[in-house]
Amino acid sequence: EYFMLTFKEFIANPDRIIDHSEVMRLVGVSKAHLSRLEKSGQFPKRIKLGLRRVGWSLNEVQEWMEEKKATRDFNSISKEVQ
């Protein structure tokens, strides 16, 4: 079941646990690729919520995305300088 937070709810608790489908939507990778990134230590660790349910910290996923963008931007600048 998918639900959207209201703006007021989001401001009250900016970090929340997100599931596979939301991580894949935000990051744009498949479940298999997400698993490979996790196993290699290149993606935030999952949080076990139950026997068959896991999630990720939204803040950690967003930080990972920002790091990827910063790396991209740094690589672009260093290539221009060479």
Side-chain angles (χ1 to χ4, degrees):
E1 179 177 325
Y2 183 77
F3 65 95
M4 294 290 292
L5 293 176
T6 66
F7 183 71
K8 199 181 258 189
E9 290 169 328
F10 180 75
I11 295 302
N13 184 19
D15 193 19
R16 60 188 175 92
I17 304 297
I18 57 175
D19 64 7
H20 266 114
S21 62
E22 193 162 358
V23 171
M24 290 184 298
R25 184 181 59 78
L26 285 171
V27 178
V29 299
S30 69
K31 207 172 191 177
H33 188 64
L34 182 62
S35 180
R36 285 191 295 272
L37 288 171
E38 273 189 285
K39 286 179 183 173
S40 66
Q42 297 178 32
F43 195 77
K45 292 183 178 180
R46 61 181 62 200
I47 301 164
K48 189 167 176 127
L49 301 172
L51 293 174
R52 297 181 56 158
R53 187 127 175 110
V54 297
W56 287 262
S57 160
L58 175 60
N59 283 352
E60 290 176 8
V61 172
Q62 289 174 325
E63 287 171 12
W64 179 86
M65 292 168 57
E66 290 302 318
E67 288 172 12
K68 289 295 185 187
K69 288 192 275 186
T71 301
R72 173 203 62 195
D73 295 341
F74 177 76
N75 288 339
S76 296
I77 292 169
S78 64
K79 285 180 184 176
E80 290 174 8
V81 172
Q82 293 176 352

